[in-house]
Amino acid sequence: MPRSVPQLPAPVSEEWDWQLRARCRNMDTNLFFPRDDEGHGARARRERAAKAVCARCPVLQTCRLHALRAREHFGVWGGTTEGDRNRIPIDAYGPCRSSVIPAARAANEQSG
Ligand code: SF4
């Protein structure tokens, strides 16, 4: 018996559309993700700069919710660092969902 329409997963494009409006789209992903050799001071400066980009992003809330639900372990998402996200209680944002790549990384991969 075929599955009914409501049982089918949402089209992938609907999961990704918010990234098309991301302010970090086409930006260098190094601003949002830590490097292995990054010192504490450099990391703090980079995270502040990334958060400043996020603060003016039209999809900040969607991005943050994605990062929380996908359990994104690294990087600045929706104006939060991994440390910020770890301090938010899990039951504040719902069940885990599959991960998608951040807008900046997606744009770089498309152009590269
Ligand atoms: S990381 Fe998220 S909130 Fe920050 S600029 Fe990119 S899409 Fe917007």
Side-chain angles (χ1 to χ4, degrees):
M1 182 168 156
R3 296 168 70 181
S4 65
V5 171
Q7 291 175 309
L8 296 173
V12 172
S13 64
E14 291 180 15
E15 291 283 323
W16 288 73
D17 278 354
W18 61 272
Q19 296 196 357
L20 298 174
R21 293 179 286 127
R23 190 154 183 261
C24 62
R25 189 169 169 79
N26 298 318
M27 293 182 72
D28 185 349
T29 55
N30 289 328
L31 181 61
F32 294 87
F33 293 94
R35 295 187 317 270
D36 289 341
D37 61 347
E38 189 174 53
H40 190 73
R43 182 186 185 106
R45 286 189 296 277
R46 179 189 53 74
E47 289 177 343
R48 277 195 302 273
K51 285 182 172 185
V53 173
C54 296
R56 298 178 56 204
C57 178
V59 294
L60 182 148
Q61 294 299 331
T62 304
C63 178
R64 181 178 297 175
L65 187 59
H66 156 75
L68 290 167
R69 286 181 170 170
R71 314 286 197 265
E72 293 290 353
H73 293 293
F74 302 102
V76 172
W77 293 76
T80 63
T81 64
E82 52 267 44
D84 297 332
R85 293 190 298 277
N86 286 340
R87 288 188 285 276
I88 299 174
I90 282 182
D91 53 355
Y93 51 83
C96 182
R97 295 170 60 188
S98 62
S99 179
V100 297
I101 57 178
R105 190 186 306 163
N108 283 353
E109 287 179 357
Q110 286 173 358
S111 65

